[in-house]
Amino acid sequence: MSIASNVRFGYAIRYNGAVERKERILEIIRSLDLPKNPLDDIIDQLGGPDNVAEITGRRGMLVRASCDKGFTYQASNTKDVSMKMVNMHEKQLFMDGKKFIAIISEAGSASVSLQADRRAINQRRRVHLTLELPWSADKAIQQFGKTHRSNQSSAPEYRAGPSLSAYNYDSVYGKRALLVMYKGIIEQVSVVDSSLVVPPGCSSGNPQSIRDFIAKAKAALVSVGILSSGESAKGSGGRIESDMHDVGRFLNRLLGLPPEIQNRLFELFISILDVIIQNARTEGNLDYGIVDIRANTIELQGKPKTVHVDHMSGASTMLFTFVLDRGITWEFASGLLDEKQKGGLGSANDGFYESRREWLGRRHFLLALEGPISGMFKIIRPAIGEAVREMPLSELRNKYRVITCLEKARSGWEDEYEVSSRQCMHAPNCKVGSYCAVGRRMQEVNVVSGLILPIWKAIEKVLSKQAHHSHRRIRVVRIETTTDSQRTVGLLIPNAAVEDVLEGLFSSHPPTPPPLPQKKKRKKPGKKNTQTFIPCT
């Protein structure tokens, strides 16, 4: 046998061996019970690509083969439709009624309108189901707008899986919180120094537990490509790949970590975010947007006062004064706990708690009830009612301790309920004085409503001169009385600034004096009009 024949024979043996190994590997893969691709599975259950218009950024999909014999890969585009035009082609099939289901993603939803347009063949009412919300609220609103636009025959019906009241993490405060967390991990220092936050599962009295967490967190961030391994050592500058403020990148790559470190990193991020938001709120720099003012009882005090009248249109600006009671009585709070325990839905950690540390000589009380998500608790306080954010069990145990004596819980709850009716949580020596509303149960709220734009700058100028930072920002609020459901939208005027605002409006927009009476001009004598109008019969 020649040398060439020997070489060919050797190649054949290796080739056949490789083919056998490949087949064995494929058999092992086929035997694995792997989950289906979620998007492919949804499309398959809805009837396949013949019934579903897919408007995403994918180049291909897995489609069920004929006779139910597995799945085959199918390109998104065809010979007649280029890859660039796939989304527009799918969108047109949906609008023409050839496909009655459309699945859109952020990657494929640009320049796409899917509303029940009167000019389209498919004018069926849209039912918009949101399976996963984006990390930021503005992107969510943009996607909702794909099915809700002008010239539509009917408005869409929205059904969202997750709650739309969830926090918008990809905000200026979220970016700041991410930066604080990254710096704490890169520089191998406790984030307690910069944000008063103890990492989850750690104790401020045990520095070694914090150092261990930082080491694990750094290794985890390196493993998913967020932290650069070559420059992450202490004192080397600690470069973060791409952008240290990219919240979306952090949240997405966080999903690639083991659940234990994933949950701890996320809890740390949220805890820092809460501190930053609270600091901004205290300093008066928090951007609320339009805020709904809520309370157990909201009543209009007296009649609205006219503070400005526009001399061009005659429209008026009114000052409304409301009285709010945000508190929760002991009877109502204990009833909530009893109702949950009787229903068999109670948790072992449900109950009344008191703060571990004193705040200005007082301890604060709360009722914690576990929500639908395990380990997350709804917080109810005697002075301000239900808190906006749920509290994780680790934070609850770290800041509060359970009260086993019901009489002690009742005494503390009722005392805080009574005290909060006449003073804020800063006690009688508060720098803001009687105008402070932080932690206060009974509040007086002043809202300027009606014609706002002509006097906006005047109000802004007055508020900018207020002594306290929290009184310098203009806030747009919406408030509804609990007795007759009368809704008012306008600018929130801090109680300490009401008189200054009224004086500022008067000086910048003084009332227009009535016009002077004019002398009637005498008509010159002339011929009478002798035209006759004959009515039509």
Side-chain angles (χ1 to χ4, degrees), residues 37-54:
N37 178 283
L39 187 52
D40 289 332
D41 190 26
I42 291 173
I43 294 176
D44 180 56
Q45 294 190 41
L46 293 174
D50 292 337
N51 297 324
V52 181
E54 181 184 338

Side-chain angles (χ1 to χ4, degrees), residues 358-416:
E358 289 188 355
W359 174 265
L360 297 175
R362 296 181 60 87
R363 295 188 186 274
H364 294 278
F365 297 80
L366 60 82
L367 170 64
L369 301 173
E370 189 170 25
I373 302 177
S374 178
M376 299 298 293
F377 286 79
K378 179 172 65 174
I379 302 301
I380 301 171
R381 303 179 189 274
I384 62 174
E386 183 177 344
V388 176
R389 182 184 70 89
E390 291 186 339
M391 185 180 295
L393 180 60
S394 57
E395 181 182 351
L396 180 65
R397 289 177 172 173
N398 185 49
K399 296 180 178 179
Y400 299 87
R401 59 188 173 212
V402 67
I403 304 176
T404 55
C405 177
L406 198 62
E407 188 57 37
K408 179 182 179 181
R410 176 172 185 166
S411 174
W413 187 283
E414 291 182 339
D415 180 61
E416 186 168 346

Side-chain angles (χ1 to χ4, degrees), residues 131-144:
L131 300 183
E132 183 181 39
L133 285 172
W135 296 119
S136 59
D138 56 340
K139 293 181 180 179
I141 296 300
Q142 185 180 18
Q143 292 226 351
F144 293 151

Side-chain angles (χ1 to χ4, degrees), residues 122-139:
N122 180 10
Q123 293 189 20
R124 295 187 177 189
R125 185 180 186 184
R126 288 7 178 193
V127 180
H128 193 144
L129 288 83
T130 302
L131 300 183
E132 183 181 39
L133 285 172
W135 296 119
S136 59
D138 56 340
K139 293 181 180 179

Side-chain angles (χ1 to χ4, degrees), residues 24 85 209 352 380 384:
R24 287 199 297 269
M85 296 301 296
S209 65
F352 291 95
I380 301 171
I384 62 174

